[in-house]
Amino acid sequence: MTPLATLRAWLEEQHLDAVLISSRQNKQPHFGFASGSGYVLVTRQHAHILVDFRYYADIAERTSGYQLHLLTNDQPMSSIVNHIIATESLIHLGFEGEQVSWHTGSRWQSELNAQLKAVSLDALRQIKTPQEIAILREACRIADVSAAHIRRVIQPGMREREVAAELEWFMKQQGAEKPSFDTIVASGPRGALPHGKASEKVIVAGELVTLDFGAQYQGYCSDMTRTFLVAGRYPAPEEMPLWSVYHTVLAAQLAAIAAIRPGVACCEVDAAARNVIADAGYGAQFGHNTGHAIGIDVHENPRFSPSDTTILQPGMLLTVEPGIYLEGRGGVRIEDVILVTADGAEVLYTLPKTLLSTGEEPWM
């Protein structure tokens, strides 16, 4: 179904006459690109886009099936929407309650001549269209080849920020619009920080380095994590327990991926990973969810969490990213993007999940 058809079916289910969309992520399928400005108003009969001068011409070229309205000081959003409300006899109007501030929502309640209801549209983005899946595949391809590149580049003596800069530059060379989020490069003891953004720390031979990054392509995001062993020396015997944690995280990730198929609850996938880590004695060192849906936003719903009972369906894309974090010593996380298929799951990355680029492992 097209975004308009999906929204109109949803309007029927919600007993609404129209919905006013203001969030970037829910406007994008209608605008054709990401923008924090403008609005989309979809009614049961018509679809309207309200934008200012900066975006009017671009959106006019990108979209069809929408009535475009130019926002000006003389014609602000409330004036145009009230005209549409009167013309189409709209009574019940939904708006994105979770995306709009209390101040803005209160103002709309007083300015718009309709009965407003706070709603969430995020569930409509859970199952991706074939076109969205194709775009996300390309975003994942960019991250995949960039991971292979940076794996060859990382050397002792490089600063974490240098690694992040090289990785982001290479992703753009491959077609990325920009990184999906601030690149994480956490080496040595900093690997114990799940969100350890790249710092001035110098990478030392024999350290583990965790890289968590993604490429935004046509407004959609990839998300990938790999933990590498920096070349230069094998770990000393006293360091082996930390490096062997890698085996546990990898086993947990593979167990979660194996559990993914239509009809399975998200919490069951989370349990598949969490049980492996708990059985190895590291349950307390795995403090985040096993994964999350991904698309226009890096983090979408549903989540692979202990409490999420959402049932998986074909066309959903989610990450699987278990980790173990040992304070003061380091950590390991491995992450892939997974497409739920009609009969199972497809991993959208191809880079081998070995610590060394040679495929050798320090415990072998």
Side-chain angles (χ1 to χ4, degrees):
M1 297 176 69
T2 66
L4 281 178
T6 300
L7 262 181
R8 290 203 170 104
W10 179 85
L11 287 176
E12 293 280 352
E13 294 173 0
Q14 300 294 316
H15 306 291
L16 292 171
D17 298 315
V19 62
L20 179 63
I21 305 172
S22 54
S23 68
R24 174 193 60 81
Q25 59 268 40
N26 285 320
K27 287 184 304 190
Q28 183 168 321
H30 305 275
F31 274 16
F33 63 88
S35 173
S37 299
Y39 305 89
V40 175
L41 178 65
V42 177
T43 75
R44 297 192 185 190
Q45 295 81 31
H46 302 287
H48 306 267
I49 291 178
L50 294 68
V51 289
D52 63 36
F53 174 81
R54 296 170 296 169
Y55 303 100
Y56 190 91
D58 196 0
I59 289 178
E61 291 182 359
R62 291 173 180 264
T63 62
S64 61
Y66 297 82
Q67 297 180 25
L68 262 62
H69 304 265
L70 180 63
L71 293 171
T72 66
N73 291 333
D74 294 330
Q75 288 288 312
M77 183 275 281
S78 58
S79 174
I80 295 173
V81 171
N82 278 332
H83 175 74
I84 296 169
I85 288 171
T87 301
E88 299 190 32
S89 301
L90 307 177
I91 298 175
H92 303 287
L93 174 64
F95 73 100
E96 297 178 279
E98 295 179 355
Q99 302 293 336
V100 173
S101 70
W102 181 89
H103 180 270
T104 299
S106 298
R107 178 165 53 82
W108 288 355
Q109 291 277 3
S110 63
E111 292 181 354
L112 300 180
N113 301 323
Q115 297 178 20
L116 268 62
K117 177 183 178 182
V119 297
S120 175
L121 299 172
D122 291 351
L124 300 182
R125 305 203 318 272
Q126 288 185 2
I127 299 176
K128 271 52 178 182
T129 66
Q131 180 183 12
E132 288 179 309
I133 292 171
I135 293 172
L136 282 159
R137 282 186 185 278
E138 179 61 14
C140 288
R141 184 201 68 80
I142 292 170
D144 207 13
V145 299
S146 300
H149 167 74
I150 202 65
R151 187 176 202 173
R152 294 188 295 267
V153 168
I154 292 178
Q155 298 292 331
M158 293 182 71
R159 290 177 292 116
E160 290 176 347
R161 290 191 194 277
E162 291 181 76
V163 173
E166 175 67 22
L167 178 57
E168 292 173 6
W169 175 86
F170 192 85
M171 286 195 294
K172 289 182 179 180
Q173 295 298 308
Q174 300 302 307
E177 297 163 351
K178 61 181 181 180
S180 299
F181 50 89
D182 290 339
T183 298
I184 292 171
V185 182
S187 61
R190 294 191 72 253
L193 304 174
H195 280 181
K197 295 177 183 178
S199 72
E200 293 297 322
K201 180 187 175 300
V202 174
I203 297 172
V204 177
E207 286 186 328
L208 291 185
V209 56
T210 295
L211 293 96
D212 189 344
F213 59 95
Q216 181 174 300
Y217 176 75
Q218 294 187 14
Y220 287 79
C221 300
S222 56
D223 191 359
M224 183 179 192
T225 307
R226 289 292 186 268
T227 301
F228 302 138
L229 178 63
V230 180
R233 69 175 179 88
Y234 283 105
E238 64 271 14
E239 298 172 315
M240 289 298 288
L242 177 60
W243 313 138
S244 65
V245 162
Y246 190 93
H247 260 332
T248 300
V249 174
L250 180 56
Q253 202 225 16
L254 295 177
I257 294 171
I260 295 175
R261 60 185 180 278
V264 171
C266 286
C267 56
E268 296 178 64
V269 177
D270 179 86
R274 203 167 297 279
N275 290 342
V276 171
I277 291 176
D279 289 346
Y282 294 106
Q285 285 73 45
F286 176 29
H288 57 73
N289 294 334
T290 296
H292 54 84
I294 190 167
I296 294 173
D297 277 345
V298 177
H299 296 95
E300 297 186 348
N301 290 319
R303 312 286 173 123
F304 287 140
S305 77
S307 61
D308 196 324
T309 58
T310 303
I311 302 300
L312 295 176
Q313 300 179 59
M316 290 181 170
L317 283 102
L318 304 99
T319 69
V320 175
E321 51 174 316
I324 294 175
Y325 311 93
L326 306 178
E327 186 175 355
R329 297 169 62 191
V332 173
R333 183 166 65 254
I334 305 170
E335 177 183 25
D336 289 315
V337 172
I338 312 297
L339 170 65
V340 183
T341 65
D343 56 0
E346 179 187 354
V347 179
L348 298 191
Y349 297 130
T350 63
L351 185 70
K353 287 175 272 195
T354 53
L355 277 171
L356 295 175
S357 58
T358 61
E360 299 174 4
E361 302 292 15
W363 49 78
M364 296 177 65

